Amino acid sequence: MSYQNLDSFRDPEVAKTLSGLIAESCQSPMRIMEVCGTHTVSIFRNGIRDMLPEDITLVSGPGCPVCVTDQKEIDDFIQLARKKNVILATFGDLMRVPGTQSSLQKQRAQGRKVKVVYSAFDALTLAAQNPKKKIVFCGVGFETTAPTVGACILEADRQGLKNFFIYSAHKTVPPALDALMSMDTVIDGFMMPGHVSVIIGADAYLPLVEKFSIPCAIAGFEPNDILASILTLVQQKEAGESKLENTYSRAVSPIGNKKAREVMEQVFDRVDASWRGLGVIPGSGLSIREEYERFDASKAFELPPARSAAPKGCICGAILTGKKIPPQCPKYKIECTPTDPLGPCMVSSEGTCAAYYRYHGAITKVY
Amino acid sequence: MSYQNLDSFRDPEVAKTLSGLIAESCQSPMRIMEVCGTHTVSIFRNGIRDMLPEDITLVSGPGCPVCVTDQKEIDDFIQLARKKNVILATFGDLMRVPGTQSSLQKQRAQGRKVKVVYSAFDALTLAAQNPKKKIVFCGVGFETTAPTVGACILEADRQGLKNFFIYSAHKTVPPALDALMSMDTVIDGFMMPGHVSVIIGADAYLPLVEKFSIPCAIAGFEPNDILASILTLVQQKEAGESKLENTYSRAVSPIGNKKAREVMEQVFDRVDASWRGLGVIPGSGLSIREEYERFDASKAFELPPARSAAPKGCICGAILTGKKIPPQCPKYKIECTPTDPLGPCMVSSEGTCAAYYRYHGAITKVY
Amino acid sequence: MKDQSILLDHGSGGKLSNELINSILMPAFDNAILEAQEDGAIIPINQGRLAFSTDTFVVDPIFFPGGNIGDLAVHGTVNDVAMCGGVPQYLSVGLIIEEGFEISQLKIIVASMAKAAAAAGVRIVTGDTKVVPKGACDKIFINTSGFGFIPDEINLSASLAKPGDRIILSGNMADHGVTILTQRESLEFDAPIQSDSAALNTMTAAMLKAAPGIHVLRDPTRGGVGTTLCEIAKKSNIGMKIREKDLPVDQSVMGVCDLLGLDPLYVANEGKLLAIVPPEQAEAALEACKQDVHGKKARFIGEVVADHPGQVVMQTAIGGARMVDMLTGEQLPRIC
Amino acid sequence: MKDQSILLDHGSGGKLSNELINSILMPAFDNAILEAQEDGAIIPINQGRLAFSTDTFVVDPIFFPGGNIGDLAVHGTVNDVAMCGGVPQYLSVGLIIEEGFEISQLKIIVASMAKAAAAAGVRIVTGDTKVVPKGACDKIFINTSGFGFIPDEINLSASLAKPGDRIILSGNMADHGVTILTQRESLEFDAPIQSDSAALNTMTAAMLKAAPGIHVLRDPTRGGVGTTLCEIAKKSNIGMKIREKDLPVDQSVMGVCDLLGLDPLYVANEGKLLAIVPPEQAEAALEACKQDVHGKKARFIGEVVADHPGQVVMQTAIGGARMVDMLTGEQLPRIC
Amino acid sequence: MCLAIPSKIVDIQGVVGTIDLEGVTRTINMALLENARVGDYVLVHAGFAISVIDEAEAAQSLDLIRELAEASLAEG
Amino acid sequence: MCLAIPSKIVDIQGVVGTIDLEGVTRTINMALLENARVGDYVLVHAGFAISVIDEAEAAQSLDLIRELAEASLAEG
Ligand code: SF4
Ligand code: SF4
Ligand SMILES: [Mg+2]
Ligand SMILES: [Mg+2]
Ligand SMILES: [Mg+2]
Ligand SMILES: [Mg+2]
Ligand SMILES: [Mg+2]
Ligand SMILES: [Mg+2]
Ligand SMILES: [Mg+2]
Ligand SMILES: [Mg+2]
Ligand SMILES: [Mg+2]
Ligand SMILES: [Mg+2]
């Protein structure tokens, strides 16, 4: 698997064939939800919408961790940045997300120490190097990311670090999909998140497929991965089938990454969690277990309940559940732009509204 | 006493008269030492040398506190600047003085916190405003300055400040003059430091006058103050007299400022002190009394004896005792300039070598 | 402007930069030459016109593979003058140095400036040096300003692109920005990549000689190729079509972009240009560009169209289409 | 240079500044126009000459009685161009802004720049904006560069002073430097003084019209009148005699200087000039200067002499004489 | 949702691995991956290796896609 | 040795005095000086008033100097 081989998954001839097959197979309107924000971005960046028959509608799901992070959690990150002696470490994704009053970017401009890291492990290193500072890492992400944070907590424990803290806003995908299907959403098929699946394994979706009888395909992130998964979804639907197809078998096994899951289970408890737009979903959150609670920023710091209020007029909830698309939001492109985002779906680089804004002009089929 | 009145002490007509009288009175060579560096600078800045007969030689004495500060004390200031959590507060005068290895200016360039203040009281304010920092003030100066520092220690005591420290390198003038006269120096008259005299009072010099039978005049700092004092010194010498004349009676009384002396005595003990160029002079230093030793930086901080070495080839000692003038130093203007000073006499703005360098060209009598 | 305080993004070369410039600076300094918002000012003089430009360099780290803040500062202004069609001749240098900065480093930087100026055939004719207290600036910042006369027959402006024009990019995208990023402490890459920092005035002179009818020259610095094309599309009120497969990126640079989630289309370049050329002179312009030592990988990346004025559309490598928008704020390493 | 690292004094406008410039920058950028070390570059062009200058402004505080960093930045470069005999016409602006800086403050600064530019009759025609992370600069720094054409009959240079010339100072010394000092937190003065920051191009134009034979114009900024005179004496290899009694200082300004132990001769000015004028045009030049709103207190302060070349000698107010040397490093408040 | 890039492992020292991505190298954490070996391609997410790419599966997917393509070309 | 400048006291509040030096005002510390009153000229050294200028003595010195001057002028 080198970049040479990857090229096959990007081959325009193959893409043309796949999109032709999709058009051929598709006989009736179909709404496919790509659960994962990275899929959303890949679809837009590669211009895939442009290659699909009009009958196929791609709707974006709740798979951008920044977008589904609850307003209170964002406000807590901001409260943490304001604490004395704290260096807040975060993935770049969170920097611009508007909290009720401020954002991490604005906190930094006011002189708070906010540091963008590429890995939770970089935050751990920061803690080891700055024994007099408290390093707090903003833990957001799904099953792909949570084990990396868990591994850092175990390592901090081994090193005996006393100045390393995690605020865990991690969430898990299957309960959210279950909740979504139980709502009044119209989804005819799921494109499943490839890298969450790497960890949880393909089999983790079997209960969902069974319970809701819905076509599902696990997809990689190259354009032809995505087209292939759409093709299988269309074929299933047209054949009246509801299966789980794994079109990303080079990375996703039926059982996933057991070691990563063990780390996750060792460090986190499953708890109810509040998702933006979806409300509280039972068992969908990961909180730090009692055994490691000395690393838990939500316990180590006083975080008086802020008056968190989701941005007025933002229909992120409807967007994240696939009920609406951004152009249906009255704020879209008017009061809400990437420069001045109102909701997180506009700020996250993989947020649905941002992707629409950036890549989706009036112009399609121009070539 | 407004600036209008001050003008009389700067009147060129008066100056011309006085210099004429000096020339008239002066019948034989005379070496007058202006003890005080501020006199040295005033003499140069006003071009007074240019107005005196050739028979009169003005030599500069040990009255620049920066110049006579022992190398070890300078090195201790630098050690203090290097201490963690310390803000070193200093009069601007000390910033550029070369220690054995570095200077405060260079320490600041390396990121140490060194702050120029106008008053020791500003350092006290700094301490009150920065309770988590230790503020160390570099105490240099003679009887004029020591009471101001003493008053700050009393105030710090009253406020209960725990983060305010003084390194006392203060010195007193009469013992130094006594020591000087006991050396092989040729001085025919003393121009006494006006502002030290403000504190210690004119009578403080009577023992010296008596012991060494030498003409003395307390002088103010306006050009005509200086000329008038020179005139009285010349007149004394020509008359074979040895008196103490107070030509600065508008500011200096026979008994001086009792309150200031009380503060000084309350806070400081008289101890032996090492003067650059003069060596150890008994009873010429002021160290903080036991009662206030919690404010004593030399006790609060560990200051391992540095290998202090006076700059090689610098003849500051001979300069400060009036034995030589800067042009007689082989380093003067060659290896030693205000830009790259070798000794403190070149760096202090009232240092003799700096004054010569700045104001004393080959050119005199050009107008 | 909605924000109350300056954010880093206001300096990103993207939309917030534009907003700052347009809502605060332009109205204040209000004049037609400035409003043209070219890379520099084009100034009519008694005989002929002058190109005049300024840039301040605050790159961190100040030494990086492929150059340092000194030669970068020379290249930057030389290029901006060249993009106006000027023949850069004279530069000024304004240094801001942090107290405590190593003289040895200053010497290296200044030597690089001198070398870069000599190589570009420009002279540094006036300067200014300020030293600020420790902590009041980050090591060293350099401003360069410069000007040069514009040959009479040359007329360049971002507002002159015409439908039918072809778009040339002189080489790989994103080398500079990615190089700088990989030098930051926390990212710790070991990458065989270096900044493309270079003076392009020889290239522009050759191109303008071969194709004096060139409509637009621009160096896609902050904001990258994507933002620069959008700016031109908006100013000329034309559309652009570009082809993803023709946008050259070094494979190592692409590797870093993939890992950090960056789009090379929006990453800074310091030795590349975009040329928008009427079709009849396009081949000649490309050929001249390719002859230059910094233009070997030059190629056509797209065309100007009458459709969708103000918008840049990209044919993706797999045959789809998507809009290319301006960069919003500095791209940050991300996991999503 | 002996020092290993940059000290604040290297930016003081005094000797260490000169040492830095002469030992590091000049050799590196090596060219005759730069070596002239005028306030800006004088550049021969096809027809005529251009004056070109740059300055970076890092004043702290950024707002002060009499102005702010914005109008100061315009005045500074306008004046340097004017001191070269140029008629300032075009300016560039390079902003470095600290993340978190208040936009409202930026607006005020930029408005002041615009006002100052309009008042001076110059246009800001190109610019650049950089934002650096919080802590990487101190609020805002501004570079301005500018140029203007020099009328054919004018020939100014610090190397052209001739024995017999008379020396004009256009007003009180030290207003700017002392104003800035009194604004620093720890000094806490309340003083009815303000910076003299002003554009002097109207004054220079009038003076050059009345006395086209003027030999030298200089604005005594950093380093003050004393340092500027020494520079001219050295470059022209002539001596100067000045009279202390004719050196005007505001009484309040003198009060602050006395209290802090500063010599106003070495304190910065931002709206004053020194003119060195052949005797036959001296009265006309002084008269023109006095007619200007910023030159009311102008006077002769001394003469150029053939004696003691390279040295400035002052007749003191009480009738003595002393040398005037260049400033060594920034003057600090002192007690001795 | 989760950027993860396939990269080649060129060194493993305990939990510290080194990846090579077209000449760019960087250390990553291997704590979440068992059985990875030098020479393997792994997916890297946020500085951690999370999965070994199964080359056989990759080849199989490609074959499948190619077959589809050829079938379609034959048709077309 | 010790710069000290004569300045007029325009206000005293406890140990805090305000001096006026040709329109420039600054607070100074009066702790070292007894009996100073508003209107007095004092010598200020390093932020502390250290001495009241005795105007009578000043006048007397001036008179003395002026006498000398006049005597000399008369001679010359
Ligand atoms: S466009 Fe903006 S306001 Fe509307 S849903 Fe998206 S983020 Fe919310
Ligand atoms: S000239 Fe320099 S070396 Fe000589 S005595 Fe003075 S300070 Fe020392
Ligand atoms: Mg520019
Ligand atoms: Mg540029
Ligand atoms: Mg300058
Ligand atoms: Mg720094
Ligand atoms: Mg440019
Ligand atoms: Mg100037
Ligand atoms: Mg200049
Ligand atoms: Mg200037
Ligand atoms: Mg620019
Ligand atoms: Mg700051």
Side-chain angles (χ1 to χ4, degrees), chain C residues 1 3-12 17 20-21 23-25 27-35 38-47 50 52-58 90-104 106-107 109-111 113-115 123-138 141-147 149 222, chain D residues 1 3-12 17 20-21 23-25 27-35 38-47 50 52-58 90-104 106-107 109-111 113-115 123-138 141-147 149 222:
Chain C
M1 286 193 37
D3 288 293
Q4 291 312 300
S5 42
I6 289 289
L7 303 176
L8 272 183
D9 287 342
H10 285 119
S12 67
S17 300
L20 176 69
I21 290 167
S23 72
I24 299 201
L25 303 181
F29 299 151
D30 183 42
N31 70 64
I33 300 179
L34 183 64
E35 262 155 29
E38 305 294 339
D39 269 346
I42 297 178
I43 298 172
I45 54 173
N46 270 346
Q47 265 110 25
L50 277 174
F52 179 33
S53 190
T54 194
D55 263 313
T56 308
F57 297 83
V58 296
Y90 300 104
L91 292 190
S92 66
V93 172
L95 301 175
I96 306 177
I97 312 175
E98 184 181 16
E99 179 187 27
F101 189 69
E102 295 298 314
I103 305 266
S104 58
L106 181 62
K107 284 183 180 166
I109 289 166
V110 158
M113 296 189 79
K115 201 174 154 199
R123 281 185 292 170
I124 293 165
V125 292
T126 189
D128 179 59
T129 305
K130 292 293 183 314
V131 178
V132 295
K134 186 87 181 177
C137 87
D138 189 13
F141 299 150
I142 303 181
N143 175 281
T144 50
S145 303
F147 63 87
F149 287 85
R222 281 181 298 170
Chain D
M1 288 193 37
D3 288 293
Q4 292 311 300
S5 43
I6 290 289
L7 303 176
L8 272 182
D9 288 342
H10 286 119
S12 66
S17 300
L20 175 68
I21 291 167
S23 71
I24 298 200
L25 304 181
F29 299 151
D30 184 42
N31 72 62
I33 300 178
L34 183 63
E35 262 155 28
E38 304 296 340
D39 269 346
I42 296 177
I43 297 172
I45 54 171
N46 270 346
Q47 264 111 25
L50 277 174
F52 178 34
S53 191
T54 192
D55 263 314
T56 308
F57 297 81
V58 295
Y90 301 103
L91 291 190
S92 66
V93 172
L95 301 174
I96 305 178
I97 312 175
E98 186 181 15
E99 178 187 25
F101 190 68
E102 294 299 313
I103 306 265
S104 57
L106 181 62
K107 284 184 180 164
I109 289 167
V110 160
M113 294 189 80
K115 200 174 155 197
R123 282 186 291 170
I124 293 166
V125 291
T126 188
D128 179 60
T129 306
K130 293 292 182 319
V131 178
V132 295
K134 188 84 179 178
C137 88
D138 190 12
F141 299 151
I142 303 181
N143 175 281
T144 50
S145 303
F147 63 87
F149 288 85
R222 280 181 298 171

Side-chain angles (χ1 to χ4, degrees), chain B residues 2-14:
Chain B
S2 76
Y3 267 68
Q4 259 71 15
N5 291 344
L6 252 191
D7 281 352
S8 306
F9 292 104
R10 297 173 180 173
D11 187 309
E13 282 309 315
V14 175

Side-chain angles (χ1 to χ4, degrees), chain A residues 313-316 319 326 329-333 336 342-346 353:
Chain A
C314 169
I315 61 160
C316 268
I319 304 280
C329 170
K331 308 283 184 181
Y332 176 72
K333 281 199 174 182
C336 183
L342 207 61
C345 296
M346 187 56 95
C353 300

Side-chain angles (χ1 to χ4, degrees), chain B residues 1 39 47 57 110 186 208-209 229 238 241 244 279 281 293 297 299 302 316 318 322 325-326:
Chain B
M1 183 81 192
H39 276 144
T57 306
Q110 285 166 30
V186 185
L208 185 90
V209 179
S229 75
E238 297 300 336
E241 292 173 344
L244 174 71
I281 301 176
E293 75 177 4
K299 290 180 180 151
E302 251 185 89
C316 268
I325 59 168

